[in-house]
Amino acid sequence: MSYTVLSLKWRPQSFSELEGQKPIQQILTHAVKSNSLHPALIFAGPKGTGKTSTARILAKALRCENRTTHEPCNQCTSCKAIQEGSDMDVIEIDGASNNGVDAIRHLRDSVQYMPASGSRRIYIIDEVHMLSQSAFNALLKTLEEPPAHITFVMATTELRKIPSTVTSRCQIFNFRPISPPVIQKRLKAICKAENIQIDDEALWLIVEQSERSMRNAQVLLDQMACFGNKKISSQMIVNALGLSHRSLLNSVLKALILKKSDDILSLMDDLALVDPQIFLNNLVVQIRNVLMIKMVEDPSWLFLMESEKKLLKELTQDVSNEEIHFLFDMALKGREDLIKSFDPHITLEMILLRMSQAPQIEEVLSRDVLSDSLKSEKPVLKKEPIKKETDQKIKTPTNVQKASQFISNEKEQKGSKQWTDFIQSIESKDARFASQLKRFSVCQWTTQKVELGYPSSALFLKEKIKDKIFQKKLEEYASEFFNKKVKFHFVLDDSFSFSKGESEKEKKFLKETESHPVAQKIANIFQAQVVSVDKHTSSK
């Protein structure tokens, strides 16, 4: 007995079995029941989404001898003949090989004849966009005024290639790519019926590689079932298709987010076994998944395994949105470099090392990085005229002012010391978090609350103080260090510099170097705007 491939054996035979095209299914069933079907239809959409299968189901519904509703019975002579492809009144034409005007003229002459049986004759033209312009012209009049017993169903993957004179005479049905959960559910049913043993990760990999095409998924399942003698594992699919294992992909992604180049180097042997192009494509998608999970509270719509969602959720706590965007851009640029590379594996290694050593966005925006970049170019700074003492109004503080200033300075110094000790205690546990806290200044320190300041130019700090996870982690560390609950408040403090005691000097430096070409280049690369620190400069 000959073997029937899964994509043909499990082809839908009724409207109820049609997966992922509910709007089209609903329109056609209502049209069949009410006998108001348009005589010329165009089924347009990606490959493997059910266009030809729907055309055959529609043909069976129109010619079924025992039909009582919209569904064909699949038992009568006509239904079986259509299913086997032997019905004389259902003519399937391949538009790719019969694309000349002579073939369409023959079709146009044959539509005048009545069907051999039943009341309806159906023409199914597959890949109709392959017809020549003269062939389309020969078909126009027949499409506009077909005989009452004729129905045209035209399938295409390139709707834009069909002339508007043809599409205006037809009803167009747009078939959408099938969602991964729908494909996964269908494959599970097939595996159960065919006694195919497959684990969840292997099934996920097949669906992920199907490009949202049901036929692609069934063909790949058939291939893997033959490879593993109906026992399919994820490792088998990885080896057969040259894919990168999910654990390797996530290990690389974790190393990139945590900026650990040593971990990338330790994975070089595993990376040498994968296809660089496929791996980098998967990495781009996975970085996108990280951003989606960070931005969306309930990412249930993401087609990922639950264990993988949990892992990516943990990774998002240590990275900002800007850094994810930065990694995404670098990975896209890496794909271009990979195409031009003489050795893709070496290029992949260098791309990953470059991404793992990329500076953090907050470091780029901070004064130190900007200062080092500008100093390397040796910019010429304008000197401000020195004001004479006679031009300045010197006021001698009163005793009350002196006492108030002394008390304030004493509290500030005490608070700053406690803040420094607190940060040092965190560095051994969470160095990344401690480095972020160093960017804040202590404005007020009391037993009730701690007031931390940040400059308006620090864009990354504005995001951090709105992050509930950041605030919760800060309060937990503080409660553990001070043995009491500490409440933190955040305020703008433009007098504060990332380097203590240099606030006025930094303002002057940034004011004079803001228009420097190197500073503008850094701002353009990281899509960050160097914000002016005084109103006079911003008005310019």
Side-chain angles (χ1 to χ4, degrees), residues 2 57 70 146 217-218 275 314 353 418 423 425 428 436 444 452-453 484 513 523 540:
S2 61
I57 294 171
H70 59 276
Q218 292 174 351
D275 185 302
E314 293 174 357
L353 287 174
Q418 288 178 313
I423 293 175
S425 69
S428 58
Q436 294 171 351
Q444 185 180 356
L452 300 179
K484 65 178 181 179
T513 59
K540 289 182 178 179

Side-chain angles (χ1 to χ4, degrees), residues 103-236:
I104 299 303
R105 282 174 181 167
H106 178 72
L107 180 152
R108 186 181 60 187
D109 294 338
S110 66
V111 299
Q112 305 301 326
Y113 299 103
M114 294 298 293
S117 63
S119 60
R120 196 65 84 140
R121 174 177 285 183
I122 296 95
Y123 288 86
I124 301 174
I125 307 177
D126 201 9
E127 300 298 333
V128 70
H129 64 273
M130 299 292 287
L131 297 182
S132 64
Q133 185 63 47
S134 57
F136 276 123
N137 292 338
L139 192 60
L140 286 179
K141 188 65 175 176
T142 306
L143 289 177
E144 188 169 15
E145 298 177 1
H149 61 275
I150 295 296
T151 299
F152 286 101
V153 181
M154 294 169 282
T156 178
T157 55
E158 300 283 350
L159 180 61
R160 58 185 177 82
K161 292 185 178 180
I162 301 178
S164 58
T165 52
V166 174
T167 57
S168 64
R169 289 167 167 83
C170 306
Q171 279 189 355
I172 301 175
F173 295 81
N174 289 304
F175 284 68
R176 303 173 183 175
I178 304 174
S179 65
V182 173
I183 299 177
Q184 187 178 39
K185 182 181 177 181
R186 183 70 170 173
L187 294 189
K188 275 187 177 180
I190 294 174
C191 290
K192 185 176 180 181
E194 297 290 333
N195 295 320
I196 298 174
Q197 299 178 21
I198 185 169
D199 58 57
D200 291 339
E201 186 176 354
L203 185 62
W204 184 91
L205 282 172
I206 290 177
V207 177
E208 200 264 342
Q209 292 297 312
S210 68
E211 298 177 346
R212 302 181 69 179
S213 166
M214 184 69 77
R215 184 172 63 234
N216 286 0
Q218 292 174 351
V219 169
L220 187 55
L221 177 64
D222 207 348
Q223 180 183 356
M224 292 299 104
C226 293
F227 184 35
N229 195 19
K230 291 194 173 185
K231 293 182 180 179
I232 306 174
S233 65
S234 58
Q235 189 60 48
M236 178 192 304

Side-chain angles (χ1 to χ4, degrees), residues 334-389:
R335 290 174 63 187
E336 299 177 6
D337 296 340
L338 205 60
I339 296 173
K340 300 178 287 185
S341 171
F342 71 97
D343 190 327
H345 282 95
I346 291 179
T347 305
L348 176 63
E349 293 171 0
M350 297 307 296
I351 290 169
L352 296 179
L353 287 174
R354 186 194 311 158
M355 294 172 68
S356 67
Q357 295 174 347
Q360 298 178 9
I361 298 296
E362 52 260 38
E363 292 177 356
V364 176
L365 295 177
S366 66
R367 182 203 61 80
D368 294 333
V369 174
L370 180 61
S371 175
D372 293 341
S373 301
L374 294 175
K375 285 178 181 178
S376 64
E377 295 289 333
K378 298 181 180 180
V380 180
L381 303 180
K382 295 180 180 178
K383 295 183 178 180
E384 286 191 0
I386 302 175
K387 295 182 179 180
K388 297 180 180 180
E389 287 188 13

Side-chain angles (χ1 to χ4, degrees), residues 217-264:
Q218 292 174 351
V219 169
L220 187 55
L221 177 64
D222 207 348
Q223 180 183 356
M224 292 299 104
C226 293
F227 184 35
N229 195 19
K230 291 194 173 185
K231 293 182 180 179
I232 306 174
S233 65
S234 58
Q235 189 60 48
M236 178 192 304
I237 298 174
V238 168
N239 294 337
L241 302 182
L243 305 177
S244 54
H245 202 281
R246 303 301 293 184
S247 59
L248 174 61
L249 180 66
N250 291 325
S251 297
V252 170
L253 181 62
K254 184 177 181 180
L256 295 179
I257 290 177
L258 299 180
K259 308 294 183 186
K260 293 185 176 180
S261 302
D262 293 342
D263 291 352
I264 297 292

Side-chain angles (χ1 to χ4, degrees), residues 365 456-459 514 519 522-524 526-532:
L365 295 177
S456 59
S457 59
L459 303 178
E514 184 181 5
I522 292 175
N524 291 334
F526 299 103
Q527 297 180 349
Q529 182 181 1
V530 180
V531 181
S532 178

